[in-house]
């Protein structure tokens, strides 16, 4: 559905994106994560044809967007619905009229666009708010209207740029559940640009980490979280900062589809070792976790690390690897 090949974008000698290869199959929810300046915004603009890549290709549903005329790009963009951090609704129009707006621009008849907009508001759970203006809607309701508007042209792809950053945690969960439900009902492909790892954990099937304009890691969520020791895996399974002074006697252990009792069985033969922090979750259908262990001293930590690796656990000694 989405294919980027050797994508490069340069601005006045400054490289914003370099050697980007990415494939997102139809019907997947894929997350793009990275810190500010990683290249996320430039990637969005290349995907939507707002920026022309310096080199490489961008293909949407089998169509190469690079080198297209303005008219051809406008037509191709109808395959992409955009949801932004702020819904950017027209204050003078009702929720229904906001959803109708892109259809009005496209020349759809009043009766047809009204029928379509009502159907979409029903789909996002706001049929009873059709005649409300944005000032009468909560932040979550505004975002739902924005999602309905993004779906007005029946796009194959829903591109969400920080869709929950301005929302509280409860509303965020509701919006993510809605996006997942829409994917399941409509069969659309969803690309979520976010800096919030909680969004990736909650909804994504696969994820890409951008660092300094390059792909640092990409893969299914299950693959990434099972690695345990990568930067992306650590961010998906965060632990509190290590505040101890003796890192050489501190270990971090990664669990993947293993019961904690297997780890405890190893710890019974390690006198004085204790668990000081831990995170265990079900992500992408897999039970995964990271635990921080404190051994009495560096020699004890080394012996414990050897025993854990022999038992098949991923282990890092903070004094050596962090």
């Amino acid at each position: 559905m989405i294919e980027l090949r050797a994508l490069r974008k340069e601005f006045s000698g400054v490289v914003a994106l370099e050697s980007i290869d990415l494939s997102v199959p139809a019907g997947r929810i894929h997350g793009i994560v990275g810190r500010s300046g990683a290249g996320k915004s430039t990637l969005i603009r290349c995907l939507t044809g707002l920026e022309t890549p310096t080199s490489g290709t961008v293909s949407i549903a089998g169509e190469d967007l690079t080198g297209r005329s303005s008219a051809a790009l406008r037509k191709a963009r109808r395959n992409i619905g955009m949801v932004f951090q702020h819904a950017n609704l027209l204050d003078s129009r009702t929720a229904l009229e906001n959803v109708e707006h892109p259809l009005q621009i496209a020349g759809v008849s009043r009766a047809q666009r009204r029928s379509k907009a009502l159907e979409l508001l029903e789909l996002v759970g706001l049929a009873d708010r059709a005649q409300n203006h944005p000032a009468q809607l909560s932040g979550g309701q505004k975002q739902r209207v924005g999602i309905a508007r993004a779906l007005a042209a029946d796009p194959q792809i829903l591109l969400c740029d920080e869709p929950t950053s301005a929302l509280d945690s409860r509303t965020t969960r509701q919006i993510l559940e809605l996006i997942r439900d829409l994917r399941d009902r409509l069969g659309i492909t969803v690309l979520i640009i976010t800096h919030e790892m909680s969004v990736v954990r909650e909804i994504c099937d696969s994820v890409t980490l951008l660092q300094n304009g390059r792909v640092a890691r990409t893969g299914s969520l299950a693959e990434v979280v099972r690695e345990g020791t990568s930067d992306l895996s650590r961010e998906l399974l965060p632990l509190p900062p290590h505040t101890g002074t003796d890192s050489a006697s501190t270990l971090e252990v990664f669990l993947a589809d293993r019961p904690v009792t297997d780890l405890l069985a190893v710890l019974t033969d390690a006198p004085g070792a204790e668990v000081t922090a831990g995170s265990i979750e079900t992500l992408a259908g897999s039970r995964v976790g990271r635990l921080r262990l404190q051994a009495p001293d560096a020699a004890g930590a080394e012996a414990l690390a050897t025993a854990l690796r022999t038992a098949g656990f991923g282990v890092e000694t903070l004094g050596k690897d962090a």
Side-chain angles (χ1 to χ4, degrees), residues 91-283:
D91 291 336
S92 62
R93 301 196 177 201
T94 64
L96 181 64
E97 291 166 342
N98 269 281
V99 178
E100 286 185 69
H101 187 59
L103 297 174
Q104 182 179 10
I105 293 173
V108 176
S109 71
R110 187 177 187 277
Q112 286 180 311
R113 67 177 185 254
R114 178 64 47 103
S115 174
K116 181 68 173 181
L118 286 170
E119 176 187 328
L120 288 169
L121 286 175
E122 177 74 33
L123 191 63
V124 301
L126 285 182
D128 60 336
R129 294 286 188 167
Q131 299 306 319
N132 288 153
H133 285 78
Q136 299 170 297
L137 302 174
S138 68
Q141 289 169 337
K142 290 176 185 177
Q143 195 64 294
R144 287 173 182 267
V145 175
I147 292 171
R149 182 182 58 191
L151 295 172
D154 295 319
Q156 294 177 286
I157 295 168
L158 189 64
L159 181 54
C160 305
D161 185 9
E162 302 283 3
T164 60
S165 293
L167 305 176
D168 60 57
S169 58
R170 180 173 178 271
T171 307
T172 290
R173 286 193 300 272
Q174 293 172 344
I175 293 298
L176 293 178
E177 287 171 4
L178 173 62
I179 291 172
R180 184 191 294 112
D181 182 56
L182 291 171
R183 186 278 304 269
D184 294 342
R185 288 195 197 186
L186 305 177
I188 57 176
T189 303
V190 181
L191 195 66
I192 296 184
I193 313 296
T194 183
H195 68 276
E196 299 175 287
M197 284 296 174
S198 59
V199 170
V200 178
R201 289 198 299 270
E202 179 73 23
I203 194 176
C204 290
D205 302 309
S206 52
V207 61
T208 293
L209 172 64
L210 286 184
Q211 289 180 339
N212 301 317
R214 292 177 177 268
V215 173
R217 180 69 175 94
T218 189
S220 72
L221 204 61
E223 291 171 347
V224 171
V225 297
R226 285 194 182 104
E227 289 173 353
T229 57
S230 71
D231 290 343
L232 185 52
S233 180
R234 287 191 188 96
E235 291 196 54
L236 286 168
L237 287 169
L239 290 181
H242 174 56
T243 56
T245 56
D246 188 6
S247 293
S249 62
T250 305
L251 308 176
E252 285 193 359
V253 183
F254 176 71
L255 309 175
D257 296 320
R258 297 276 299 273
V260 177
T261 51
D262 288 358
L263 173 63
L264 297 178
V266 178
L267 292 180
T268 57
D269 295 324
E274 61 179 0
V275 177
T276 58
S279 174
I280 298 175
E281 297 189 42
T282 300
L283 299 179

Side-chain angles (χ1 to χ4, degrees), residues 15-83:
V15 177
L17 297 173
E18 182 67 82
S19 304
I20 302 293
D21 288 318
L22 178 64
S23 296
V24 182
R28 299 290 291 273
I29 300 179
H30 187 87
I32 304 286
V33 298
R35 300 185 187 282
S36 297
K40 301 190 300 296
S41 296
T42 303
L43 183 62
I44 292 173
R45 294 180 66 81
C46 288
L47 273 170
T48 55
L50 297 174
E51 292 286 355
T52 301
T54 304
S55 60
T57 60
V58 176
S59 296
I60 303 292
E63 291 189 50
D64 186 356
L65 303 189
T66 49
R68 291 292 187 95
S69 66
S70 296
L73 278 175
R74 283 195 297 271
K75 183 179 179 180
R77 286 190 195 115
R78 293 173 189 167
N79 262 333
I80 304 174
M82 288 287 299
V83 178

